[in-house]
Amino acid sequence: MTRKRLVVVGGGMAGLAAAWTARRHPAAAAGGLDVLLLESGPQVGGKAQSVEADGWLVESGPSGFLAGRPELTQLIADAGLADDAVPANANAKRRFVYRAGKLREIVPNPVGFARAGILSPRGLLRLLAEPFLPARREGTEETVWEFTARRLGAEVADRLIMPMTLGIHAGDAKRLSLPAAFPRMAALEREYGGLIRGLSAKRGNTSAGGLTSFRGGMQTLPRALAARGGFQVRCGARVTRIERTGTQWIVTAADDAAPIACDALVLATEPWAAAPLLQALAPDAAAALDGIYGPPVAVVALGYAAEVSRTVPRGFGVLITRDEGYRMLGNLWDSHIFPARSPDGHLLMRVMLGGAVDPGVGVMSEHAVIALARDEVARMYGITASPSFVHAVQWPRAIAQYELGHLARVERIERAAARLDGLFIGGSGLHGVAFADAAASGVRCGTQAAEYLRR
Ligand SMILES: Cc1cc2nc3c(=O)[nH]c(=O)nc-3n(C[C@H](O)[C@H](O)[C@H](O)COP(=O)(O)OP(=O)(O)OC[C@H]3O[C@@H](n4cnc5c(N)ncnc54)[C@H](O)[C@@H]3O)c2cc1C
């Protein structure tokens, strides 16, 4: 048997998981498999970039992941990082919403919402009526807002679900598709007739673990996979063209190296980056990939001295409803979430700006986003001191939006990809936007590619 070659395009969590998995798959061992990963940026990790400077540890993207997803747990163990994983501090379970001029703690039960002033008495009654509402068994695809307003009332949709959707997807609940963005919520109505009934039935029976990161931040895993994977990694290699000739793929990158021939190809880029590569081969898939919107997000990290640390409650962070006169979507209180994020006693917080509700942030200068974040933080917490540490990251297209029609779009993409022998498409743009979803998607593509190469 001759040695085979697999090329993986994209060095985020999905691409690295694909390369790692294919390289270790028993099917690949038979004749030998060389794996080459091409990443356009200067380093691996994609959105997971962790920056260390002067005792501060700043995440440019994901803060953590929910432990318990088997594919990710396995990758962490195989990469030798089980002891580097750190669970979030106990007080990171405390989450806040800013409404009617105040930070209000989200105690996750209906009475807690009303006590905290998040819901009015009328909103609370509407929420409590949810178990008595009939389940909708069919009908047109609903947005996240439509579904939650129908089941839980417009107040819950506006005051909790809108900010939560911005917090998770940087997305607009009035545009995202419920079955695509929150499939488990859709399943609760389908399987149990309602959300409250479904949640009570499932209590104590969920597989989702706690929020987790690594001592050195989220980029620890991508870095370890790249270093210990036994595959070649080329950064600064933006793939500009893929072609099919006979039984091989030819991959051309913009880094002056010669085109590379391979037997199978995994595309693990953002969907909009995969679109132009597929334009000539599968125009239908290219159009569907290009139709997935990615809004800009700016992440501004601000580090404050010990005195300021006390002005912010111990907890995970705050989400802000849109009618409060703030542009920021929310803040994460990083020093309260994981250990060793800031010098002793200091406070590191990250301010999130932009998303689908405020795309104008994408054209602001770094100076302007920092000034905006500093002003709004000063106003919200009454902080007069200047931050002693500032770091900003601007993602022009941050997180794929699973808008209405997303599931149909994914079907079109996958149907077209299935017609292209030896090509596999993955990444967080299709079946889940979280870090663990990206890892699972990469594992799936790596397995499929290895099995294809055995044939
Ligand atoms: C601000 C922010 C906060 C987040 N917070 C969380 C969180 O708390 N928890 C969580 O679970 N998830 C979070 N996420 C989502 C999480 O970061 C992603 O799910 C995950 O990192 C995506 O991995 P990926 O491999 O699918 O894509 P990416 O990380 O986007 O990787 C794609 C890679 O492909 C490369 N690429 C693109 N085009 C080409 C080309 N032509 N040639 C070569 N390479 C190319 C890109 O440079 C990039 O490195 C957050 C995301 C952002 C932006």
Side-chain angles (χ1 to χ4, degrees):
M1 254 177 138
T2 52
R3 279 187 88 75
K4 295 281 175 64
R5 169 174 264 186
L6 167 69
V7 168
V8 175
V9 184
M13 189 55 236
L16 288 158
W20 177 277
T21 304
R23 185 71 184 75
R24 275 158 190 74
H25 196 282
L33 176 65
D34 293 322
V35 180
L36 168 65
L37 182 141
L38 301 173
E39 162 56 45
S40 58
Q43 49 179 324
V44 295
K47 302 298 177 300
Q49 306 280 335
S50 312
V51 179
E52 279 186 87
D54 307 324
W56 304 90
L57 172 55
V58 179
E59 297 291 8
S60 304
S63 321
F65 59 91
L66 288 180
R69 187 77 180 257
E71 296 90 340
L72 184 54
T73 308
Q74 191 68 50
L75 284 171
I76 292 168
D78 292 349
L81 293 177
D83 292 339
D84 286 272
V86 276
N89 300 325
N91 60 26
K93 287 208 169 67
R94 294 180 67 204
R95 297 179 181 222
F96 293 76
V97 66
Y98 188 87
R99 216 198 78 66
K102 266 172 67 175
L103 288 174
R104 296 165 193 274
E105 185 168 352
I106 305 175
V107 178
N109 67 63
V111 177
F113 296 149
R115 277 221 184 106
I118 297 170
L119 294 184
S120 70
R122 201 186 148 97
L124 172 66
L125 284 178
R126 177 62 182 81
L127 168 60
L128 293 172
E130 198 267 345
F132 308 102
L133 301 179
R136 201 180 79 138
R137 298 282 171 206
E138 53 204 52
T140 51
E141 187 182 3
E142 283 177 298
T143 64
V144 172
W145 192 91
E146 284 165 342
F147 172 85
T148 47
R150 174 171 64 76
R151 293 234 48 105
L152 304 166
E155 254 188 35
V156 173
D158 286 337
R159 297 182 185 181
L160 285 163
I161 305 299
M162 280 286 279
M164 184 189 94
T165 308
L166 280 166
I168 300 174
H169 292 255
D172 183 348
K174 294 192 170 168
R175 287 168 60 178
L176 296 191
S177 151
L178 181 86
F182 294 110
R184 266 171 282 179
M185 241 201 259
L188 288 179
E189 179 176 48
R190 210 172 43 242
E191 292 164 19
Y192 298 91
L195 299 181
I196 294 179
R197 256 191 258 165
L199 288 173
S200 322
K202 280 179 161 265
R203 188 165 294 152
N205 186 23
T206 69
S207 54
L211 182 69
T212 308
S213 179
F214 300 96
R215 259 174 252 294
M218 290 293 284
Q219 203 179 352
T220 304
L221 179 61
R223 283 188 188 126
L225 295 176
R228 302 170 196 167
F231 52 87
Q232 199 193 334
V233 175
R234 228 165 76 201
C235 287
R238 185 170 61 84
V239 171
T240 51
R241 194 181 165 87
I242 60 172
E243 295 156 274
R244 184 85 177 144
T245 58
T247 59
Q248 292 222 301
W249 287 94
I250 309 292
V251 180
T252 307
D255 66 348
D256 297 335
I260 305 144
C262 59
D263 307 286
L265 184 58
V266 170
L267 295 183
T269 67
E270 302 89 340
W272 43 86
L277 300 178
L278 287 168
Q279 186 55 51
L281 293 156
D284 191 41
L289 285 159
D290 206 36
I292 299 175
Y293 171 51
V297 169
V299 183
V300 181
L302 301 173
Y304 291 98
E307 310 82 76
V308 170
S309 175
R310 287 185 285 277
T311 61
V312 172
R314 301 234 140 232
F316 181 80
V318 61
L319 292 165
I320 304 161
T321 56
R322 289 297 79 208
D323 48 0
E324 290 295 322
Y326 285 92
R327 256 182 107 166
M328 57 186 181
L329 307 175
N331 313 148
L332 291 160
W333 306 323
D334 290 79
S335 306
H336 298 171
I337 306 175
F338 291 112
R341 296 300 158 121
S342 45
D344 266 359
H346 287 57
L347 173 73
L348 174 67
M349 74 159 82
R350 277 181 303 148
V351 178
M352 304 291 172
L353 293 153
V357 293
D358 191 4
V361 163
V363 294
M364 286 170 72
S365 67
E366 183 182 278
H367 178 77
V369 291
I370 291 173
L372 178 62
R374 284 183 57 171
D375 282 358
E376 294 205 345
V377 162
R379 181 149 59 92
M380 178 164 285
Y381 303 100
I383 295 173
T384 48
S386 292
S388 51
F389 172 81
V390 178
H391 177 83
V393 180
Q394 289 169 283
W395 299 110
R397 300 182 81 177
I399 299 180
Q401 300 295 297
Y402 294 5
E403 295 186 336
L404 285 182
H406 182 78
L407 295 177
R409 224 174 257 134
V410 170
E411 212 181 297
R412 267 166 69 197
I413 294 164
E414 293 187 334
R415 210 175 316 122
R419 286 197 294 268
L420 296 170
D421 236 15
L423 180 108
F424 305 91
I425 302 184
S428 54
L430 304 181
H431 295 287
V433 297
F435 187 77
D437 297 318
S441 145
V443 168
R444 195 166 51 240
C445 284
T447 306
Q448 288 170 345
E451 285 171 354
Y452 165 82
L453 290 172
R454 177 171 54 182
R455 275 187 257 137

